[in-house]
């Protein structure tokens, strides 16, 4: 037991005495300047501003495809990057967004296509993955979907044929 304690003590002494180097001698002044500049601009995030954050298609007939464009501007002090845009379901498809960094003051747009299917009031969210302070932004589309009158006539005609037979 004494040998184990003595061995551990010797190992600890070697470990503590080997770290005598002065850490300040390893600091590169160029790295310090670059870090200071980076930290000074760390609060300068891009800011995305939309012309509209919710688009209302109004009343549409079930199954009628519609589309709109969402326009946005980088109102921040750093380049804006939109790395991904996705919707809450497959019936809403975002496309055609600018994947290159958007400089402060520049504008861009993306298209959202909706297949127009559903019942009554429908609302869908589209999420943009960005390098803004929040990390993501959300826009919405909505529409009131009324039944297709042609489909109702066909069902009524089929039902009356069945009654006659």
């Amino acid at each position: 037991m004494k040998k184990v304690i003595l061995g551990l003590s010797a190992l600890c002494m070697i470990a503590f005495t080997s770290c005598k180097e002065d850490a300040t001698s390893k600091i590169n002044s160029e790295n310090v300047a670059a870090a200071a500049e980076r930290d000074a601009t760390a609060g300068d995030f891009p800011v995305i501003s939309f012309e509209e954050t919710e688009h209302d298609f109004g009343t549409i007939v079930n199954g009628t495809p519609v589309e709109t464009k969402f326009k946005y501007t980088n109102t921040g002090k750093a380049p804006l990057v939109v790395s991904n845009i996705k919707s809450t379901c497959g019936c809403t498809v975002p496309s055609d967004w600018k994947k290159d960094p958007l400089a402060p003051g520049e504008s861009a747009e993306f298209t959202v296509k909706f297949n127009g299917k559903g019942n009554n009031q429908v609302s869908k969210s589209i999420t943009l993955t960005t390098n803004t302070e929040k990390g993501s932004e959300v826009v919405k589309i909505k529409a009131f979907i009324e039944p297709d009158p042609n489909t109702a006539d066909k069902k009524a005609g089929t039902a009356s044929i069945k009654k006659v037979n």
Side-chain angles (χ1 to χ4, degrees), residues 34-54:
E37 184 179 331
R38 180 197 65 224
D39 292 345
T41 60
D44 294 341
F45 285 100
V47 177
I48 189 167
S49 300
F50 292 95
E51 281 188 8
E52 67 176 347
T53 56
E54 184 172 331

Side-chain angles (χ1 to χ4, degrees), residues 7 10 25 27-28 33 35 37 46 56 63-64 66 68 70 80-81 93 99 106-107 109 116 127 136 158:
S25 66
I27 296 175
N28 184 342
E37 184 179 331
D56 187 354
T64 305
V66 290
T68 188
F70 281 96
L80 171 68
V81 177
V93 181
K99 295 178 174 103
E106 286 187 347
S107 297
E109 64 185 18
T127 304
S136 66
T158 314

Side-chain angles (χ1 to χ4, degrees), residues 27-36:
I27 296 175
N28 184 342
S29 60
E30 291 175 14
N31 291 345
V32 172

Side-chain angles (χ1 to χ4, degrees), residues 133-154:
E133 190 169 10
K134 291 192 305 186
S136 66
E137 304 292 330
V138 177
V139 294
K140 295 182 179 185
I141 60 167
K142 68 179 183 176
F144 185 84
I145 301 176
E146 56 186 29
D148 185 352
N150 296 327
T151 306
D153 290 344
K154 288 178 186 176

